[in-house]
Amino acid sequence: MGSTKELAAYLRYLQSEELAEGTIRIYLKEAESLTEYLSGREVTKDIMVEYKNRPALSNCSVTTRNLHIAAANRYLKYISHGDCMIAALRIQRKQSLEDVLTIEEYRRLLEYAKESGREKYYMILRTLAMTGIRVSELKYFTVETMKKPAICVRNKQKTREICISQKLRSELEKYCRRNGISGGIIFRGRNGEPISRIAVYKMLVRLADMAGIEKGKVHPHSLRHLFAVTYMEHYGNIFELADLLGHSSLETTRIYTRNTARERGQKIDRLGL
């Protein structure tokens, strides 16, 4: 099991599933690690439990360890050893939202980006916050799609439509005209490829530092959180929000219906007990 030929076949299989490149790299690396760990031994449930609890992962977070487990299970299923799949570690679900970027902080980021002449940063902030998209979905924003009522996005083997407000559409069209972007992807990196998640992360950290905002609150997903929290505060429709965010389960969306611990404490204080 696990020869170079078999791993190459697994790579082709992952590519045929149309998974993201980053996901493929994670799955393939885990398959290689599992192959090395087995060293020719037969796959058994006991060995897989040992693999799950190996010392190399002892200092990793639960989330990271579960990522390794999911990748290992994917390979086990591929090689017809689904009966040896291992259970993920349980994560206690948070009952409140903490360290969420506020509207005021978002506006400070926008203000600094505009005043410092970072128009590209400004428009990326606007696009992420006004649509709730993932950073990886920025590549679907093209000059051509701006002429359509919605953008069709394929991500994580699911297809959905991203609705764009007329306000954002107008801002993006003006941005393209000012910067001579006549066709194709609007937000690109220095190499001409779609801007990467790492580049957006560095951009946000730089803006947060200059705007005096806690860096831990500013990351690519924080603007998706901001969109979701703001939408729930205004409309309170979890079904619509799940559809807008592309969630297949309401449980994923339900976190945005919760208050922060501080807000809950304030409500309890107002009980007058």
Side-chain angles (χ1 to χ4, degrees), residues 50-52 62 67 76 83 159 170 175 241 245 253 261 266:
E50 289 176 6
Y51 179 75
K52 167 183 172 179
V62 175
L67 180 62
L76 288 172
D83 57 322
T159 301
S170 177
Y175 170 76
L241 180 59
L245 295 177
T253 319
Q266 290 172 345

Side-chain angles (χ1 to χ4, degrees), residues 76-248:
L76 288 172
K77 190 174 181 180
Y78 170 76
I79 60 175
S80 302
H81 279 288
D83 57 322
C84 296
M85 289 169 63
I86 43 184
L89 301 173
R90 295 186 64 180
I91 302 176
Q92 184 175 358
R93 184 181 294 278
K94 288 187 177 181
Q95 296 302 313
S96 61
L97 284 168
E98 305 299 336
D99 295 329
V100 174
L101 191 70
T102 66
I103 286 287
E104 291 72 22
E105 290 168 332
Y106 162 65
R107 288 173 179 160
R108 278 163 58 190
L109 289 172
L110 285 177
E111 183 180 7
Y112 178 77
K114 178 178 284 188
E115 289 182 352
S116 62
R118 293 173 168 84
E119 188 180 16
K120 180 179 178 180
Y121 291 8
Y122 178 90
M123 286 312 307
I124 289 177
L125 282 168
R126 293 287 283 164
T127 302
L128 293 174
M130 293 179 73
T131 59
I133 63 168
R134 302 175 179 90
V135 173
S136 61
E137 295 169 337
L138 277 173
K139 63 185 178 184
Y140 293 101
F141 281 70
T142 67
V143 173
E144 291 75 21
T145 56
M146 286 301 99
K147 300 173 184 178
K148 301 177 182 179
I151 297 177
C152 185
V153 167
R154 180 170 176 78
N155 199 347
K156 296 187 176 182
Q157 295 183 293
K158 294 180 292 186
T159 301
R160 81 176 197 280
E161 285 189 336
I162 295 175
C163 298
I164 309 174
S165 68
Q166 186 54 48
K167 184 176 182 179
L168 177 60
R169 187 186 306 278
S170 177
E171 288 185 26
L172 286 169
E173 288 175 345
K174 290 177 182 177
Y175 170 76
C176 289
R177 285 198 295 270
R178 284 194 299 269
N179 291 276
I181 304 172
S182 58
I185 296 171
I186 296 174
F187 301 113
R188 296 178 181 272
R190 293 179 180 177
N191 58 1
E193 296 295 315
I195 192 165
S196 69
R197 186 181 187 282
I198 294 176
V200 174
Y201 172 74
K202 289 181 178 178
M203 171 200 84
L204 290 174
V205 169
R206 191 177 302 117
L207 288 178
D209 185 44
M210 300 306 294
I213 299 171
E214 184 183 341
K215 293 180 182 179
K217 298 178 70 174
V218 183
H219 49 83
H221 228 59
S222 62
L223 294 160
R224 183 169 163 86
H225 291 326
L226 177 63
F227 171 83
V229 170
T230 307
Y231 192 91
M232 283 302 299
E233 288 177 351
H234 279 74
Y235 305 112
N237 191 323
I238 191 173
F239 299 100
E240 283 186 357
L241 180 59
D243 189 46
L244 287 169
L245 295 177
H247 290 164
S248 56

